[in-house]
Amino acid sequence: KNQVEQSPQSLIILEGKNCTLQCNYTVSPFSNLRWYKQDTGRGPVSLTIMTFSENTKSNGRYTATLDADTKQSSLHITASQLSDSASYICVVSANGGQNFVFGPGTRLSVLP
Amino acid sequence: NAGVMQNPRHLVRRRGQEARLRCSPMKGHSHVYWYRQLPEEGLKFMVYLQKENIIDESGMPKERFSAEFPKEGPSILRIQQVVRGDSAAYFCASSPRGQGEVAIQYFGAGTRLSVL
């Protein structure tokens, strides 16, 4: 069964600190993996997209990694800001990109 | 270039009524996706459409739910005879290319459906 798991479920950090969110998946055949940021009450916003051949991709303070062998991905946030408070969703695409499987998200709270 | 527009933002229906949710994709985008997010849960794929065609509806409930993306006008997600379990946020996303081409999806702000 295609599944995406994320950890931790929620995380609280102080402004300026770094954090890493984890994503494990059992989706196959793998096509690509995406990280989204979803603010409360808003639609998700794409942060990164990685295909099988890519093992790291950055978008500003966000850096995603992908280990296709262990089927794990991480999202590292550097020098966190209050505006980083949101849910971060890992999404894995299978079957040549025709099916999307969403993880449950990690809820990040950044405190001053 | 306006983003993905969804309306209404909030919709209240009584059990048994019909709900029609609209999604106007970004200009130039011909691929539309609908997702449902139940309270305290992650998003779940429902349907993927191109203009006038349903490409993948594997996530759509077999009964009461239908979607269309006509040649002209917005994409419509239609829920007939709504039940309380249909209460959720429904998100639409659009992309300029199909999923298989690793295109970024741009999401709308969602429609929050409440069934009384």
Side-chain angles (χ1 to χ4, degrees):
Chain A
K1 182 180 177 184
N2 288 334
Q3 278 189 314
V4 176
E5 298 177 343
Q6 292 187 242
S7 62
Q9 184 177 23
S10 60
L11 181 62
I12 300 174
I13 61 174
L14 294 177
E15 187 179 12
K17 298 297 185 183
N18 304 335
C19 67
T20 300
L21 314 181
Q22 300 292 342
C23 173
N24 298 329
Y25 61 93
T26 57
V27 178
S28 68
F30 176 87
S31 178
N32 58 75
L33 185 146
R34 304 161 187 243
W35 282 94
Y36 285 91
K37 176 187 178 188
Q38 184 177 20
D39 292 311
T40 301
R42 308 288 291 273
V45 174
S46 179
L47 295 177
T48 61
I49 303 176
M50 288 182 292
T51 59
F52 185 88
S53 59
E54 298 173 295
N55 54 26
T56 187
K57 184 162 280 189
S58 291
N59 178 0
R61 295 179 297 104
Y62 301 102
T63 299
T65 65
L66 172 64
D67 186 334
D69 291 331
T70 61
K71 298 187 177 182
Q72 295 180 327
S73 176
S74 66
L75 180 68
H76 186 74
I77 305 175
T78 305
S80 61
Q81 301 176 356
L82 298 178
S83 60
D84 292 333
S85 295
S87 287
Y88 290 84
I89 305 169
C90 175
V91 184
V92 182
S93 178
N95 292 330
Q98 295 299 321
N99 292 6
F100 279 164
V101 183
F102 282 73
T106 290
R107 187 176 297 277
L108 174 66
S109 298
V110 180
L111 303 181
Chain B
N1 186 8
V4 177
M5 303 300 292
Q6 289 189 248
N7 67 82
R9 289 295 309 276
H10 301 274
L11 182 61
V12 179
R13 285 287 177 267
R14 296 192 181 278
R15 281 179 297 170
Q17 291 184 320
E18 178 180 286
R20 290 171 69 89
L21 289 62
R22 294 175 186 78
C23 169
S24 296
M26 288 182 69
K27 186 177 181 180
H29 288 191
S30 59
H31 301 263
V32 165
Y33 314 83
W34 285 94
Y35 300 91
R36 176 164 64 176
Q37 188 172 34
L38 295 169
E40 303 302 321
E41 292 189 16
L43 286 109
K44 289 199 168 40
F45 167 79
M46 297 182 74
V47 62
Y48 161 39
L49 310 103
Q50 292 182 33
K51 284 284 188 182
E52 299 184 276
N53 288 307
I54 296 174
I55 307 302
D56 181 356
E57 56 182 349
S58 58
M60 194 95 101
K62 292 289 186 286
E63 298 177 350
R64 301 188 298 107
F65 285 72
S66 62
E68 62 177 10
F69 188 17
K71 186 176 180 181
E72 301 290 338
S75 175
I76 304 288
L77 179 66
R78 182 179 177 211
I79 311 173
Q80 295 178 289
Q81 298 177 332
V82 295
V83 300
R84 289 222 173 99
D86 296 333
S87 296
Y90 292 82
F91 289 95
C92 167
S94 74
S95 71
R97 300 185 298 280
Q99 295 181 20
E101 299 173 63
V102 198
I104 292 177
Q105 292 188 5
Y106 297 85
F107 281 78
T111 292
R112 276 146 191 82
L113 172 65
S114 297
V115 179
L116 304 179

